[in-house]
Amino acid sequence: MKKIFFIAAILFAYTTLWAAEEARLLCFPSTNGKEIVFSYAGDLYKVPVTGGEAGRLTSHVGYEMFPKFSPDGQTIAFTGQYDGNTEVFTIPATGGEPLRVTYTATNRRDDLGDRMGPNNIVMAWTPDSKQIVFPEPHQRRLYRKTI
């Protein structure tokens, strides 16, 4: 009996560690209460909070990160790097073509490794789902952009 328990414990530990290895690239989760959106390997995915298979929302060349559901749950704002700039984009919560919200000049501060952080990181939405809150380039303050 002890041998069976020991083998079961080893299998459980191995399975748990293997699952953690597979999910280690899941980043920046956000929820609307029913679904979770997150970044994985540079693309955005969505999964029900009850679990299940995650569906890919974006597959564009470039890197998508920092997704945030709008309070009404209809839109996802995110920070994307498609053409060298770090910009704010939106997509419908069901997926689709990204809509660019910001247009800023390329500069050194867009580097994700910069100590002060990159520009245009989506932080939140206003409660009415009409404005996205993100740091304004070069200003060290938050900026709201109406969409």
Side-chain angles (χ1 to χ4, degrees), residues 1-144:
M1 183 68 169
K2 285 183 182 181
K3 193 173 193 177
I4 292 173
F5 178 73
F6 180 73
I7 291 172
I10 295 277
L11 287 174
F12 176 75
Y14 177 76
T15 304
T16 303
L17 290 174
W18 179 77
E21 284 289 314
E22 290 298 310
R24 68 180 163 198
L25 296 177
L26 306 178
C27 301
F28 318 117
S30 176
T31 185
N32 63 3
K34 297 177 186 172
E35 301 165 306
I36 300 170
V37 64
F38 59 91
S39 178
Y40 173 76
D43 289 317
L44 300 183
Y45 289 80
K46 185 174 68 169
V47 66
V49 295
T50 56
E53 187 173 331
R56 184 185 233 173
L57 295 174
T58 61
S59 61
H60 300 81
V61 175
Y63 193 73
E64 294 99 10
M65 58 198 150
F66 307 112
K68 298 285 183 202
F69 274 106
S70 60
D72 64 11
Q74 300 299 307
T75 308
I76 298 169
F78 65 94
T79 300
Q81 291 181 326
Y82 295 134
D83 59 1
N85 288 358
T86 303
E87 303 292 349
V88 175
F89 294 84
T90 62
I91 58 170
T94 55
E97 191 68 27
L99 173 67
R100 189 171 178 173
V101 176
T102 61
Y103 293 85
T104 55
T106 302
N107 61 45
R108 291 187 350 240
R109 292 224 44 248
D110 282 344
D111 180 16
L112 287 176
D114 187 357
R115 286 178 39 157
M116 299 306 290
N119 296 319
N120 296 329
I121 292 178
V122 174
M123 306 296 284
W125 286 80
T126 56
D128 61 3
S129 297
K130 293 185 179 184
Q131 294 180 322
I132 303 166
V133 179
F134 56 92
E136 183 178 21
H138 312 295
Q139 294 296 321
R140 306 279 195 275
R141 65 184 176 92
L142 293 180
Y143 179 73
R144 289 192 255 175

